[in-house]
Amino acid sequence: AAGTRHMSVLPTRRVLQQLQALDMVGLLEVERLRRLRNKLVHEVETPGVSYVLDAAEELARLISRLVESPNPILRDAAARVLARTDDQPPTTEDI
């Protein structure tokens, strides 16, 4: 709707970096997952199923790390993401 602003459920990579929520490896993984999301949404060619499933597993690991964060903002954001999911993310064993 006009005038509404989209709010991310999870903080951006920049916010995570400023809050020192993840180490450099975690921040790089967030960036890789962001690029994958953009590729899935905006490009015609899609990556393979196993690549997407691996990314889903990595995202689940990152969210789990944020749930354990001492920072209440990050914990709450990660908890909201988990509350929105009905099932566990698919794994490579599901194919």
Side-chain angles (χ1 to χ4, degrees), residues 12-14 16 22 24-38 51 62:
T12 64
R13 181 194 58 82
R14 182 175 294 153
L16 292 171
L22 297 169
M24 186 54 70
V25 172
L27 292 171
L28 291 172
E29 191 58 32
V30 167
E31 188 62 25
R32 184 182 77 82
L33 291 168
R34 184 193 64 76
R35 284 192 308 272
L36 172 62
R37 179 256 177 220
N38 288 343
Y51 185 80
L62 285 169

Side-chain angles (χ1 to χ4, degrees), residues 45-66:
E45 187 176 330
T46 57
V49 172
S50 63
Y51 185 80
V52 174
L53 290 174
D54 288 344
E57 289 174 359
E58 183 58 33
L59 179 59
R61 285 191 293 274
L62 285 169
I63 292 169
S64 294
R65 286 176 63 188
L66 294 177

Side-chain angles (χ1 to χ4, degrees), residues 60-90:
R61 285 191 293 274
L62 285 169
I63 292 169
S64 294
R65 286 176 63 188
L66 294 177
V67 166
E68 300 297 322
S69 171
N71 184 312
I73 294 169
L74 297 173
R75 270 196 324 265
D76 292 347
R80 283 194 306 274
V81 168
L82 292 178
R84 290 177 56 193
T85 61
D86 297 328
D87 299 317
Q88 294 295 318

